């Protein structure tokens, strides 16, 4: 079995869960590669994690941002990903650091399920040149920076005119990302077991511009129809690219998918209640 381990940048691990996890896996004859950032937590460990390699599982110690950062680096999507929460929300996580031994035992014993999630593919065209391309698990966000003016985004879906958004920006989300930034800007919650594309404007100038859920095959194209020069397209809040006037941002479902390790038997609704307090009344029921 081949397992990769990566950690949140600057992770504080006072209980040495990462070090103990590496020792536990090696004790059970598992080959372990760790990322350079993780070596400081595991004495005498040389970096070896390669995102081009097909790992059985990549274990991420951190929060949701750590997993989203891993997606940005992944090049071989045959590798499944297990998130062990060492942060705050842990929406993607199936356990916390102190449960490392229980989680790794199940991993070694193949006692887990894999959940396939769609990814988004974003490409920026500048003239006829492809200036930027990257995948996202949660969302692609086109937005102005602080103190900038509202921006105008001409948007088409499958080459048909959809809307011209005059707003602070636009979130193009996957169902997985529907509980992230899209939700905070007024978008709907969509089950991650569906494939779809969600358009949610950020603080639109017009009350008529509401979120919309599109089929998974939709090809979204957004043109920067403004001279405002402080606008960025951002992948999962991790990777950004500075947009120019008349740049075209193309978003579609990626041909790649990510496999998330699932060990808990909790339903999606239970996760929503526990992590977001969704659907609960004022008495917390």
């Amino acid at each position: 079995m081949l397992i990769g381990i990566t950690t949140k940048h600057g992770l504080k691990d006072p209980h040495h869960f990462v070090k103990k996890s590496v020792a536990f896996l090696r004790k059970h004859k598992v080959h372990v590669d760790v990322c350079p950032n993780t070596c400081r937590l595991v004495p005498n460990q040389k970096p070896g994690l390669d995102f081009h390699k097909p790992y059985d599982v990549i274990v991420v110690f951190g929060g949701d941002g750590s997993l989203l950062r891993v997606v940005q680096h992944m090049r071989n999507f045959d590798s499944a990903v297990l998130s062990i929460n060492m942060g705050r929300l842990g929406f993607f996580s199936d356990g916390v650091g102190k449960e490392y031994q229980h989680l790794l035992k199940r991993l070694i014993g193949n006692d887990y399920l894999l959940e396939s999630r769609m990814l988004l593919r974003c490409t920026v065209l500048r003239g006829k040149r492809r200036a930027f391309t990257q995948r996202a698990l949660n969302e692609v966000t086109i937005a102005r920076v602080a103190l900038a003016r509202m921006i105008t985004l001409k948007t088409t879906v499958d080459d048909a005119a959809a809307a011209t958004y005059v707003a602070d920006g636009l979130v193009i989300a996957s169902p997985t990302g529907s509980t992230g930034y899209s939700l905070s800007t007024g978008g709907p919650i969509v089950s991650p077991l569906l494939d779809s594309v969600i358009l949610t404007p950020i603080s639109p100038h017009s009350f008529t511009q509401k979120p919309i859920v599109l089929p998974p095959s939709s090809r979204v194209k957004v043109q920067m129809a403004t001279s405002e020069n402080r606008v960025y397209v951002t992948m999962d809040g991790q990777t950004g690219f500075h947009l120019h006037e008349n740049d075209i941002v193309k978003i579609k479902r990626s041909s790649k998918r990510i496999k998330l390790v699932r060990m808990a038997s909790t339903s999606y609704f239970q996760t929503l209640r526990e992590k977001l307090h969704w659907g609960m009344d004022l008495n917390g029921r």
Side-chain angles (χ1 to χ4, degrees):
M1 192 174 196
L2 180 60
I3 288 182
I5 292 183
T6 183
T7 54
K8 174 183 176 181
H9 182 72
L11 176 70
K12 295 180 180 179
D13 186 18
H15 300 290
H16 307 292
F17 293 138
V18 176
K19 175 183 174 182
K20 292 174 183 177
S21 295
V22 172
F24 179 86
L25 289 170
R26 288 188 171 145
K27 179 181 177 181
H28 288 81
K29 310 303 181 184
V30 175
H31 184 84
V32 182
D33 287 346
V34 303
C35 73
N37 182 55
T38 306
C39 290
R40 64 184 180 83
L41 301 173
V42 185
N44 303 316
Q45 176 65 52
K46 294 182 179 179
L49 184 66
D50 181 354
F51 286 105
H52 290 84
K53 288 171 64 173
Y55 291 93
D56 292 291
V57 178
I58 295 176
V59 180
V60 184
F61 286 89
D64 292 339
S66 302
L67 184 140
L68 293 172
R69 187 173 63 253
V70 166
V71 173
Q72 297 297 309
H73 290 294
M74 285 183 71
R75 295 296 178 267
N76 192 316
F77 288 87
D78 290 330
S79 304
V81 181
L82 169 65
S83 176
I84 298 180
N85 188 28
M86 303 280 278
R88 291 177 295 175
L89 182 61
F91 200 86
F92 292 116
S93 301
D94 257 34
V96 295
K98 64 182 179 181
E99 301 171 329
Y100 77 92
Q101 196 167 115
H102 169 71
L103 296 171
L104 296 178
K105 278 183 180 179
R106 292 189 59 180
L107 206 60
I108 295 169
N110 293 314
D111 182 19
Y112 59 89
L113 299 174
L114 292 178
E115 197 169 277
S116 175
R117 301 284 185 93
M118 71 169 277
L119 299 169
L120 296 169
R121 180 79 177 185
C122 173
T123 302
V124 177
L125 297 180
R126 183 164 292 166
K128 296 182 179 180
R129 180 174 66 88
R130 186 173 68 179
F132 173 83
T133 185
Q134 186 57 280
R135 296 183 183 89
L137 172 59
N138 268 2
E139 74 278 313
V140 176
T141 302
I142 303 170
R144 66 186 181 94
V145 298
L147 303 180
R149 295 171 294 179
M150 295 185 101
I151 56 178
T152 302
L153 302 171
K154 292 183 177 179
T155 305
T156 66
V157 177
D158 297 330
D159 296 322
T164 297
Y165 296 105
V166 180
D168 285 351
L170 179 65
V171 179
I172 304 94
S174 70
T176 298
S178 70
T179 50
Y181 191 16
S182 177
L183 180 63
S184 69
T185 55
I189 293 177
V190 179
S191 168
L193 299 182
L194 296 174
D195 277 10
S196 60
V197 179
I198 307 156
L199 301 187
T200 307
I202 306 170
S203 302
H205 184 264
S206 172
F207 288 117
T208 64
Q209 294 181 333
K210 301 298 183 183
I212 185 170
V213 180
L214 302 171
S217 60
S218 299
R219 293 172 289 110
V220 178
K221 187 184 299 182
V222 182
Q223 182 177 9
M224 272 280 295
T226 179
S227 59
E228 173 59 61
N229 65 356
R230 298 167 68 186
V231 180
Y232 285 80
V233 59
T234 309
M235 313 293 113
D236 290 337
Q238 303 294 318
T239 305
F241 183 78
H242 183 203
L243 294 175
H244 295 176
E245 185 178 7
N246 295 320
D247 279 357
I248 294 175
V249 183
K250 300 171 70 175
I251 305 100
K252 64 179 182 178
R253 177 175 57 178
S254 173
S255 60
K256 304 294 185 181
R257 302 180 70 88
I258 190 166
K259 297 182 289 188
L260 298 181
V261 173
R262 284 286 171 249
M263 295 185 179
S265 58
T266 55
S267 70
Y268 182 61
F269 294 104
Q270 186 174 343
T271 301
L272 290 177
R273 288 195 298 271
E274 291 178 355
K275 303 292 186 179
L276 300 181
H277 307 294
W278 179 85
M280 298 177 70
D281 63 24
L282 295 179
N283 293 318
R285 294 191 295 264

